[in-house]
Amino acid sequence: PKNPLMPFAIISIAYLLFTITDGAVRMIVLLHAYNKGFTAMEVAVMFSLYELAGVVTNIVAGMAGDRLGIRWTLNVGLTLQVIGLGLLFGWQDDWDKTTAIVYVTLAQMMSGISKDLTKLGGKTVTKLVTPDDKQTRLFKLVSLITGWKNALKGVGYFLGAALLASSEEFGYFIALGVMI
């Protein structure tokens, strides 16, 4: 017989590992932009659609998850993260600042959509595997997952910074490659 908690374990692990990647990519983009001479405001713009996409995605993802299922939102979220990372490989050092900002902002938007689709799967699966008479357990599980998510995002920040620093010439590409 199939273990009923297996989908919970798979989705939760995918969500938590995704969190490391998400934190690392944020740090990689931020530090790479800093190393290339972008101002704090220019870097903030690069992340603006990442956050704004989250607002829209949360609304749409709930409806999509209801119609298409949590597996769909998780798979699309993880796929969009790979696409976003792939786009970041295209960032060219010889681009003018405006081109780089627009390009990176759009690539980061993919990661923002990805984050919220993946988060929906990571948190919703807990509700699905918890019987109604065990709701206290549900809150404990959600708290545990949220705590791990926050800790692992911090791990991702350090991982991203370390990978970027691994090579002066190729650190950006090495870091992105490890994240994929």
Side-chain angles (χ1 to χ4, degrees):
K2 190 174 180 181
N3 184 342
L5 291 179
M6 188 57 74
F8 169 76
I10 291 169
I11 292 172
S12 296
I13 290 168
Y15 174 56
L16 293 173
L17 291 174
F18 171 87
T19 300
I20 294 172
T21 326
D22 188 55
V25 170
R26 284 181 173 195
M27 191 58 64
I28 291 164
V29 170
L30 176 116
L31 293 174
H32 186 66
Y34 173 79
N35 289 339
K36 297 298 171 195
F38 288 84
T39 68
M41 188 57 75
E42 290 166 338
V43 173
V45 168
M46 290 177 181
F47 286 94
S48 62
L49 283 182
Y50 174 95
E51 297 299 340
L52 185 60
V55 174
V56 175
T57 302
N58 277 316
I59 295 167
V60 174
M63 293 183 287
D66 183 48
R67 287 184 179 205
L68 303 169
I70 297 306
R71 177 183 286 165
W72 183 87
T73 61
L74 181 66
N75 287 335
V76 170
L78 295 172
T79 300
L80 288 176
Q81 179 72 338
V82 172
I83 291 169
L85 288 169
L87 288 171
L88 288 172
F89 271 104
W91 184 0
Q92 302 296 311
D93 288 340
D94 60 350
W95 287 350
D96 62 87
K97 278 190 170 186
T98 303
T99 302
I101 290 169
V102 169
Y103 185 85
V104 172
T105 301
L106 292 173
Q108 286 294 97
M109 179 185 73
M110 298 298 275
S111 292
I113 294 168
S114 170
K115 175 194 65 149
D116 288 301
L117 287 172
T118 306
K119 179 175 66 177
L120 175 72
K123 292 195 175 182
T124 304
V125 71
T126 310
K127 172 77 172 144
L128 297 176
V129 299
T130 306
D132 289 337
D133 63 334
K134 305 273 186 186
Q135 289 302 302
T136 301
R137 184 174 171 208
L138 169 68
F139 293 119
K140 288 179 182 176
L141 283 171
V142 170
S143 297
L144 179 68
I145 289 172
T146 301
W148 272 103
K149 175 196 73 113
N150 293 337
L152 291 174
K153 188 167 278 199
V155 169
Y157 292 154
F158 284 104
L159 179 62
L163 289 169
L164 189 63
S166 68
S167 168
E168 212 170 290
E169 187 176 349
F170 300 109
Y172 175 73
F173 298 106
I174 291 169
L176 289 177
V178 169
M179 291 305 103
I180 288 180

